[in-house]
Amino acid sequence: MIVNQLKGAPFLSKVILVDILVAIDPLSSAESDLLGRLTHEDYRLVDHILGLIIYEGGRHSFVKLFGLIQEFCYDPRWEIRRRLTEALPNLVDADHEQAAQLMEILRTDYDERWKTDVRRRVVEALPLLSKFSLAKALEISKYRPDDEVFTIIAIVEFICGLSRDIEPAPNKLLEDLYYQLNDDRVAVLRFLQELLFTIQKEPKLAIEMMNARLNDPEVLVRICIARSAPRLLDSLTYEILGVLQHYARPEEHKYVRRPIAKGASEIVAHWEFAWYPPYMGGKIAR
């Protein structure tokens, strides 16, 4: 009844009711059900609830609302599941064990339109989880037969970022992955592996590797370069901005620009810094 009355109510009214329900401790089954129906009616309330956990309630709110947050993992609307994955790094900070349970569910996500995009986002959040539980992060990162190539790229990036001292070693984990794939994608992934390891050890040589294949006919190679380049923004600002500017050309690199758009704020900050004179704390662009 209350939900029906609120269908035409202003968003702020719904937010106030959600705040009241979230503050109740413990929540009764009826109150929890009402909260669930409210968020189903207006998915903007999902952002509000996630915000309450991340910025205000922390672990206590996360534990109390875990059942509701878990339902978001199964919501038929892809946008709800996407929003949840965007919050994963903060949820890991709030309670890594609860967040890991959500990640395990979302790691099997599949959407008719967006395919395994949610899975990719889960894998991209694994570096933070690995700081709390490396074993759980490695388990979640394991390849699934229907993983799309962008999810697999994220898996390679995650493994390459791990310490060489772990067991099994990153190289062994990657060889196991390539054995399971056994197709043309492996050549691209090996290039990505080499590039990421070179970025860690010899940044200037990594720039040469990027420039050598900047216009590679294989679009996945260019995507790997665009995803990896921002790792050197701090140390080789000018060179990396040149790479990213090259890929910003829409007519030539239509499918390569997404990683650049994703990191736009950081890129712009470095771009502005590069043009400030030294006495203003910046550099003079060449």
Side-chain angles (χ1 to χ4, degrees):
M1 184 66 177
I2 295 178
V3 174
N4 291 333
Q5 292 174 344
L6 283 171
K7 280 185 176 179
F11 178 63
L12 182 58
S13 298
K14 298 178 183 178
V15 167
I16 293 172
L17 180 55
V18 166
D19 287 348
I20 293 172
L21 289 169
V22 169
I24 297 172
D25 195 9
L27 276 169
S28 70
S29 59
E31 290 158 347
S32 179
D33 181 61
L34 175 56
L35 194 54
R37 284 188 288 157
L38 278 169
T39 53
H40 188 77
E41 288 293 335
D42 195 331
Y43 67 74
R44 292 175 297 176
L45 295 173
V46 173
D47 289 339
H48 183 65
I49 290 175
L50 292 173
L52 289 175
I53 294 172
I54 293 168
Y55 301 111
E56 297 181 25
R59 186 179 187 281
H60 174 70
S61 292
F62 193 8
V63 171
K64 183 171 69 170
L65 297 172
F66 180 74
L68 176 63
I69 303 298
Q70 194 174 39
E71 288 182 19
F72 294 161
C73 295
Y74 301 104
D75 195 291
R77 293 165 295 179
W78 175 82
E79 178 62 17
I80 297 296
R81 307 195 304 277
R82 183 199 69 80
R83 288 172 184 239
L84 182 55
T85 61
E86 293 293 320
L88 282 175
N90 298 101
L91 295 178
V92 169
D93 269 340
D95 188 317
H96 70 274
E97 292 180 348
Q98 300 270 39
Q101 292 183 52
L102 301 179
M103 296 170 87
E104 286 180 310
I105 297 170
L106 292 168
R107 185 64 182 87
T108 62
D109 186 275
Y110 188 85
D111 184 83
E112 286 299 321
R113 179 180 179 186
W114 300 103
K115 311 302 180 187
T116 65
D117 184 74
V118 162
R119 299 188 195 184
R120 171 186 61 80
R121 296 169 187 269
V122 170
V123 175
E124 289 174 345
L126 288 178
L128 182 57
L129 179 64
S130 68
K131 295 178 181 179
F132 296 96
S133 175
L134 176 58
K136 178 58 70 175
L138 287 172
E139 181 184 332
I140 295 173
S141 73
K142 288 181 179 178
Y143 169 71
R144 271 71 166 172
D146 54 348
D147 280 345
E148 284 192 308
V149 67
F150 298 110
T151 302
I152 301 171
I153 286 174
I155 294 173
V156 172
E157 291 171 338
F158 167 63
I159 294 174
C160 286
L162 297 173
S163 168
R164 303 290 182 91
D165 299 327
I166 68 167
E167 289 291 340
N171 283 336
K172 174 66 166 59
L173 293 170
L174 290 168
E175 289 303 322
D176 289 347
L177 171 64
Y178 302 153
Y179 178 78
Q180 293 178 76
L181 295 173
N182 193 30
D183 57 31
D184 294 342
R185 296 173 295 181
V186 172
V188 174
L189 298 173
R190 287 191 182 280
F191 165 75
L192 174 61
Q193 175 186 350
E194 182 184 2
L195 177 60
L196 290 172
F197 285 152
T198 305
I199 284 174
Q200 296 172 16
K201 296 189 297 184
E202 298 181 74
K204 290 188 177 180
L205 179 57
I207 293 292
E208 294 178 14
M209 288 180 62
M210 294 181 198
N211 286 330
R213 303 190 69 171
L214 207 57
N215 293 306
D216 199 283
E218 173 55 68
V219 67
L220 288 176
V221 168
R222 285 179 278 142
I223 288 174
C224 288
I225 292 173
R227 286 178 63 97
S228 304
R231 297 166 189 260
L232 290 175
L233 267 173
D234 287 334
S235 58
L236 294 169
T237 306
Y238 304 121
E239 292 86 346
I240 293 302
L241 287 176
V243 170
L244 298 178
Q245 184 179 25
H246 178 80
Y247 283 146
R249 301 170 183 171
E251 68 282 359
E252 298 174 37
H253 305 290
K254 179 180 177 182
Y255 299 105
V256 185
R257 292 176 296 153
R258 189 180 183 281
I260 300 174
K262 185 177 180 181
S265 58
E266 182 185 3
I267 294 168
V268 169
H270 280 82
W271 186 277
E272 292 176 345
F273 175 73
W275 283 90
Y276 286 149
Y279 64 82
M280 293 180 66
K283 305 175 182 178
I284 294 293
R286 291 177 297 184

